[in-house]
Structures are given as structure tokens and as C-alpha cells.
Amino acid sequence: MTTPSSATAAATTSDTASEPSSAPAGALVTVERPEGWWRNAVVYQIYPRSFADSNGDGTGDIPGIIAHLDHLAELGVDVIWLSPVYTSPMDDNGYDIADYSDIDPLFGTLEDMDELLAQAHRRGIKILMDLVVNHTSDEHPWFVESRQPGSAKRDWYWWRPARDGHEPGTPGAEPTNWVSAFSGPAWHWDEEAGAYYLHLFTRKQPDLNWENPEVREAVYAMMRWWVARGVDGFRMDVINFISKPTELVDAPTQDGQPLGDGFEMVANGHRLQEFLAEMNVAVGLDEHHLLTVGEMPGSTVETARTLTDRANRGLNMVFTFEHVNLDRGPRGSKFSHVPLDLVALKRNLESWQLGLAEVGWNSLYWDNHDQPRAVSRFGDDSPEHRSASAKTLASVLHMHRGTPYVYQGEELGMTNTQFAGISDYRDVEALNYHADAVGRGADPEAVLAGLASHSRDNARTPMQWDDTHQAGFTEGIPWLSVNPNYVTVNARAEVADPGSVFHHTRKLIALRHELPVVAEGRFALLLGDDPQIWALTRTLEGRTLLLVANVSSQPATVPDGAVADVSTAQLLLATHGDRRGADLEPWESRIFLLG
Ligand code: GLC
């Protein structure tokens, strides 16, 4: 294993990923990164444990990814965002990292990682690493050392005594009343340390103390080490939680709830912008033209504008949660389903488009490893409408301005699965939530219903490659069951069918590469209050692109005069052939270029 401190610092003036001849294989294959390259790029997210298993142990791995790179090259994506592959006890499937500079044996070796970088770069595909530095694993050597009383790393994490007058380790003795993201208090009493430590996520994910400059430098050194290895950017996990108030106080509670929302107390903290700018300079993020995207629960258009303003040297873009929170209850009851209001969804995306039109940049996504499948959630996954609704959702997303993210299987129209009972779930969030809610007297059927529609495991079922054993994902027993619909919904079938979701997505990606209006055009929403139709224009240098989409399972009619006359327009892509009238079939969408 190599440690970050022994690696070459990558803060050089090079604009490409090529490094000196002693650099690892991934860095040796040059991939151009011109200024602003990510503005017309499309990113594909891989959740490694569910993508492709090369050795029959039931878990996806890096050699499995390498074996399927041609699928991504055919789709035409520019970048892979790789969810964590680092050494980890896997309490949260790798979002709990015990060694930032090595690969977990479940996924392969550092040599496999270098090979993936080289093979991807050879195909012109860049790689983003997942950067999980709000917290580490409790098995990371930093934490192991920190828990020793008197350790020089004591201040690297958030250690606090029990609440005044309380017996440590008893209910209510926690230093604050914050709830963790995955149920229960956000503090854990550590006998050995003789103190509580803060964990906003599971007990095995202690939060790092970014107030300590040594912590920040250790993170930047590790990032430089990955840049020297040839990576092209970072997706930064819950990065807007890194600046915490130095004074930690109780959060407001809702009626009858014992715990309050610690997230509200730590999101977008007072030193966030400063830390991100410091990181940018220390790692050379802008100099190397690396892609940076920050996952930011609780961020607003205003915070995003500040953090993605190039002048502030922060990030290229952020992941907002506003649109994916519209159909669920507030954080404490995120598994309670709220019917989706399409107008609210359209208006929300519009507010981000307009808010980041002049300054900053948007990311665009429906799906990722933390969200249920878009086609089941925003579309219609019945056999009749699955394909058209997946295509139309893709058209809507890709015709917005920003960088689109495609989550593995989204390009196939993969759907939510069916879970027979709690034993079918694997996600720590789902298991903890179930135990907590049922333990507190909730109706088990209602708890399961909430998980069925909103659990993260919906997104994590194995990638459906073909209609053979276990969908071609593994020769063994998959770590999470394959969705039974793999017999019809799979990559082999989709690639063979020119009218498939796969080819529709491929064409959308090609349009972004070919037409500057798709990447850069000014955005305007039409028919904003229409409950079925999503229509918009994009305009650049006298060219206008028009999208008209029926985002419903019922026929719709475009009101007279609501959109431009398309009788002589060029039809770029449509779900139902060349049809130009006012009537739209369920989930029909059309993209035109007008003059
Ligand atoms: C982010 C990740 C999620 C993980 C959490 C804690 O939200 O996307 O998968 O559980 O952070 O790291």
C-alpha cells in the first residue's frame, strides 16, 4: 500500500492527466481536460458493488467495470463517477472509509484501479472519485489513534463529554439532541476514549473536525495523490456538512420527538466557502481543470450560486436535493410518500435554471444510488408505459442546462424492485429505520410500504446485463437480489433494439455534444402551470430548441399557440415518431430545432 504522504504532489501546471514517467498507469494515458470541458459532458455513475461481478463472489468489482467499459463508450458518456471503492468495513457500502489510498479487496487492487483509469482514458472517458471526507470509518487509523486519551489526533474528530448531570451512555446524556441520518442519536459513547463522538451517519462513520488545519491538509494531500494517479475530478459526499458550528447546541424538536435535526445545524456552515476555496487552491482543482461536484443536502439556489461562482474558486456544480424531496415527507419521515406535484417539480427545476443562468452551473439528475428508480417514481413503470416514460424523463432532464448524470441502469429504464419483507433489504438506512420505527410502535406494513417506494436498495439491485443467470451480473449469488424483470429489461435487449431507452439516451448525449444550444442555450419554461405537459425552450445565437413532453400516462393536448409552430422545424428526437400535431400520446415527447 502507498500512503498519500509518499505520493508525488500533483499541484503542477499541467492541464492534462499526463504525469511524469514514474506516474501510475492511469495517469500515463493522457486525457485532454480543456477549460470548462465539463459544460457539455455527461456523467455516468457506477455503484461498483452492483455493476458487474468478475469473480463470482456476488459483489461487483473493478475488473467487472473494465469488462463493461465498451457499454459506456457506446452510450457516449464522457465521465464515470465511481462510488467508493476504498478499503472499508462496508457499514454503509463503502461510504465509511478506512484507507483513502487503497482499494477494498472486495473490489480489487490498486493495480486494478490504475488499469481502470488507463482503459477508461483510452476510450476518452474520464473518472471522478467519490470523496467522502465529512467522516471516515471508525476503523480508519486516524480515528483509532484519536480515541486514545491524550492522542495528538484527539482533535481530529468531535469528542465531547456527556451532558451536564447525566450518566455517560444513558439515554439523554448525549452532548446534543441531534438525530443521525440513519436513526438514533448522532453521538456514541466510547468507553475507551471516555467521551462521546459525533456521527451524523452511522456509528461507524465518525465526523472529522475540519476546524483542525491538520485534518484539512491530510485530506488535500490524499486528493493530490489521487490527482497524480490520474483521476479527473471528485464527487464530494455531503460536503456542505464539513463546517460545523464550534459551539454545538440542541436542535429544535418537533412535537413529541425526542431528537432534533442536527443536519439543519451543520448544513452550509459559516466556513464552508473558505474550506472549499482552500481545498481548490491546495489541490489545484481549477489549475488541473478537474470536475468537482458537491453533494449538498439542504442547499439552496443561493448557496449553490455562491459556491459555483468561478470567481470564488469553489466547486463546478452541486447536487441539490430540493427536487427529489418533493415526493417525500420531511427528513424524520422521509419514507412517507407525498404525491408528486408535477408543477412544483417543473417550477423547482426552473428556479435552479434561472438562478444559475449567469453565474454558476447546474448538475442535472433524477437517479443515483440514494434515490429510488426514476421511472418508477416520476414515470410509469407498467409494461405499457415503462419505455416511453423512461425516454421522456431522459429527454426532459437532458434538455435542461447543466451537466446531466445518468445512474447505472437508468439508460435501460431499470425500475424499482419488489421486496417481500425486511430480510430482502441490505441498506443500513432501511434496516435501522425499520427497527427504529417498528420498535417505537409503527405499523410494520406501513413501514414496509414506505421502504418499498423510497428505499435506496431500489437503486442498488444488480445491473441487468442480459436475460441469463442473475441477469449476467454474477456467476454466484448476488449480494442483493436481481430485479425479476431482468428477463425483459436488460442491456443486451436494449442495445439490440434501435427504439430502446438505451438508444434514446445515446442520442440525447450525442445532441449535447453536437449542438452548443443544448449545452449552453438560455432556458425558458413554457406552460409552467400545466399539470401534464413539460415544455421548454433553449436559445443560443438565434437558434432555438423546443421540447414538448407529456409527462403523464393520459393523453394531453398542447393548448393553441402555447408553443412555436413546428410544421417546418427539424425534429431532432421523439418517442413516437414524426408527429407534429397538438395531441400527445401518454409519455410522448418531441425535441425540435426551430430555425
Ligand atoms: C451520501 C452518500 C450516501 C451515504 C452518505 C453518508 O449521502 O451518497 O450513500 O450513505 O452520504 O456517507
Side-chain angles (χ1 to χ4, degrees), residues 236-536:
M236 303 182 186
D237 193 66
V238 287
I239 200 70
N240 63 329
F241 290 179
I242 58 176
S243 164
K244 308 199 169 44
T246 34
E247 197 70 27
L248 305 182
V249 297
D250 281 346
T253 50
Q254 311 224 321
D255 359 294
Q257 298 293 328
L259 298 175
D261 192 349
F263 273 35
E264 306 248 317
M265 314 293 282
V266 299
N268 310 315
H270 64 298
R271 298 186 72 189
L272 176 62
Q273 193 186 336
E274 172 200 336
F275 290 162
L276 290 176
E278 180 186 81
M279 173 197 282
N280 191 320
V281 172
V283 183
L285 297 174
D286 282 355
E287 284 78 2
H288 291 288
H289 301 155
L290 294 162
L291 194 166
T292 53
V293 51
E295 187 206 23
M296 298 209 176
S299 59
T300 60
V301 176
E302 288 69 38
T303 43
R305 193 191 298 124
T306 306
L307 296 172
T308 64
D309 180 346
R310 299 285 284 164
N312 293 336
R313 292 212 61 167
L315 303 170
N316 298 151
M317 59 194 105
V318 311
F319 288 134
T320 164
F321 278 64
E322 285 185 352
H323 66 303
V324 289
N325 284 341
L326 290 173
D327 67 344
R328 48 170 89 205
R331 216 165 62 76
S333 51
K334 64 183 275 195
F335 293 109
S336 59
H337 180 72
V338 173
L340 180 73
D341 174 351
L342 182 69
V343 172
L345 181 64
K346 293 194 294 185
R347 291 291 188 192
N348 180 267
L349 264 67
E350 179 194 32
S351 72
W352 283 78
Q353 292 286 300
L354 302 180
L356 301 183
E358 309 298 334
V359 170
W361 190 251
N362 270 294
S363 71
L364 307 169
Y365 78 95
W366 294 137
D367 260 339
N368 61 42
H369 67 293
D370 294 331
Q371 301 294 333
R373 290 281 179 185
V375 67
S376 301
R377 181 183 197 181
F378 304 122
D380 180 337
D381 63 8
S382 67
E384 191 186 353
H385 297 303
R386 183 193 64 85
S387 178
S389 69
K391 288 183 213 168
T392 284
L393 286 173
S395 285
V396 168
L397 191 80
H398 286 247
M399 288 305 115
H400 279 73
R401 184 167 181 266
T403 301
Y405 287 73
V406 178
Y407 177 65
Q408 64 185 43
E410 190 176 353
E411 81 281 20
L412 312 178
M414 275 178 63
T415 66
N416 282 354
T417 191
Q418 289 134 26
F419 298 97
I422 191 64
S423 60
D424 284 354
Y425 289 88
R426 295 290 174 274
D427 180 15
V428 65
E429 181 186 50
L431 300 176
N432 286 2
Y433 166 74
H434 183 266
D436 187 62
V438 172
R440 289 197 282 127
D443 170 13
E445 288 308 312
V447 171
L448 285 176
L451 287 174
S453 61
H454 282 79
S455 148
R456 310 194 295 182
D457 276 339
N458 278 304
R460 300 175 179 187
T461 61
M463 181 75 174
Q464 294 165 206
W465 291 107
D466 56 39
D467 62 359
T468 65
H469 174 78
Q470 304 292 5
F473 164 73
T474 181
E475 310 251 289
I477 300 165
W479 71 278
L480 176 67
S481 295
V482 166
N483 187 324
N485 68 11
Y486 75 91
V487 183
T488 47
V489 180
N490 62 65
R492 187 186 287 163
E494 288 276 320
V495 172
D497 171 7
S500 66
V501 183
F502 177 88
H503 288 290
H504 189 88
T505 310
R506 181 179 63 71
K507 288 175 193 161
L508 286 168
I509 295 169
L511 283 178
R512 179 166 297 265
H513 291 153
E514 285 157 18
L515 299 176
V517 67
V518 175
E520 299 286 348
R522 185 161 39 82
F523 171 93
L525 183 68
L526 309 177
L527 291 168
D529 295 324
D530 192 290
Q532 279 179 287
I533 297 174
W534 202 325
L536 59 87

Side-chain angles (χ1 to χ4, degrees), residues 92 95 132 135 182 201 205 235 237-238 295 369-370 456 460:
D92 187 18
Y95 281 90
V132 188
H135 45 267
F182 299 145
F201 295 89
Q205 293 170 298
R235 174 270 182 186
D237 193 66
V238 287
E295 187 206 23
H369 67 293
D370 294 331
R456 310 194 295 182
R460 300 175 179 187

Side-chain angles (χ1 to χ4, degrees), residues 3-278:
T3 60
S5 52
S6 68
T8 331
T12 65
T13 52
S14 163
D15 286 352
T16 72
S18 62
E19 291 290 338
S21 56
S22 60
L28 287 176
V29 181
T30 304
V31 57
E32 292 296 324
R33 290 200 299 261
E35 168 95 48
W37 61 269
W38 37 268
R39 289 173 74 101
N40 75 344
V42 177
V43 183
Y44 185 93
Q45 184 193 351
I46 289 183
Y47 193 65
R49 65 168 44 232
S50 304
F51 193 66
D53 174 22
S54 72
N55 61 2
D57 68 358
T59 303
D61 46 43
I62 296 174
I65 298 173
I66 296 172
H68 285 91
L69 282 175
D70 287 338
H71 174 81
L72 306 188
E74 184 171 357
L75 188 58
V77 296
D78 305 273
V79 188
I80 292 169
W81 149 25
L82 197 60
S83 277
V85 286
Y86 314 92
T87 311
S88 165
M90 303 290 165
D91 193 48
D92 187 18
N93 290 353
Y95 281 90
D96 47 320
I97 297 171
D99 185 348
Y100 289 104
S101 50
D102 206 356
I103 303 297
D104 196 277
L106 199 57
F107 297 129
T109 62
L110 212 42
E111 288 65 43
D112 292 331
M113 185 64 216
D114 287 341
E115 183 64 15
L116 171 60
L117 275 159
Q119 294 269 4
H121 284 170
R122 259 184 216 118
R123 289 166 175 83
I125 298 176
K126 300 179 176 71
I127 302 252
L128 290 191
M129 291 304 270
D130 215 311
L131 183 80
V132 188
V133 289
N134 171 69
H135 45 267
T136 66
S137 162
D138 65 341
E139 297 183 29
H140 193 292
W142 296 344
F143 185 77
V144 172
E145 192 181 329
S146 177
R147 64 152 50 114
Q148 303 301 320
S151 142
K153 288 202 168 54
R154 187 64 162 186
D155 188 43
W156 282 41
Y157 293 83
W158 294 84
W159 295 103
R160 289 290 184 275
R163 194 182 284 266
D164 272 351
H166 286 72
E167 183 63 28
T170 60
E174 294 83 15
T176 68
N177 67 350
W178 301 356
V179 68
S180 84
F182 299 145
S183 308
W187 293 94
H188 183 67
W189 174 253
D190 189 297
E191 261 326 316
E192 192 181 337
Y196 278 95
Y197 64 84
L198 176 68
H199 61 89
L200 292 174
F201 295 89
T202 75
R203 199 150 73 63
K204 290 183 67 61
Q205 293 170 298
D207 282 56
L208 279 166
N209 176 14
W210 277 67
E211 292 295 314
N212 183 330
E214 288 173 18
V215 168
R216 305 204 298 273
E217 188 39 52
V219 169
Y220 307 153
M222 173 270 284
M223 293 172 74
R224 288 192 292 265
W225 183 84
W226 277 107
V227 174
R229 268 205 121 73
V231 306
D232 304 286
F234 298 96
R235 174 270 182 186
M236 303 182 186
D237 193 66
V238 287
I239 200 70
N240 63 329
F241 290 179
I242 58 176
S243 164
K244 308 199 169 44
T246 34
E247 197 70 27
L248 305 182
V249 297
D250 281 346
T253 50
Q254 311 224 321
D255 359 294
Q257 298 293 328
L259 298 175
D261 192 349
F263 273 35
E264 306 248 317
M265 314 293 282
V266 299
N268 310 315
H270 64 298
R271 298 186 72 189
L272 176 62
Q273 193 186 336
E274 172 200 336
F275 290 162
L276 290 176
E278 180 186 81

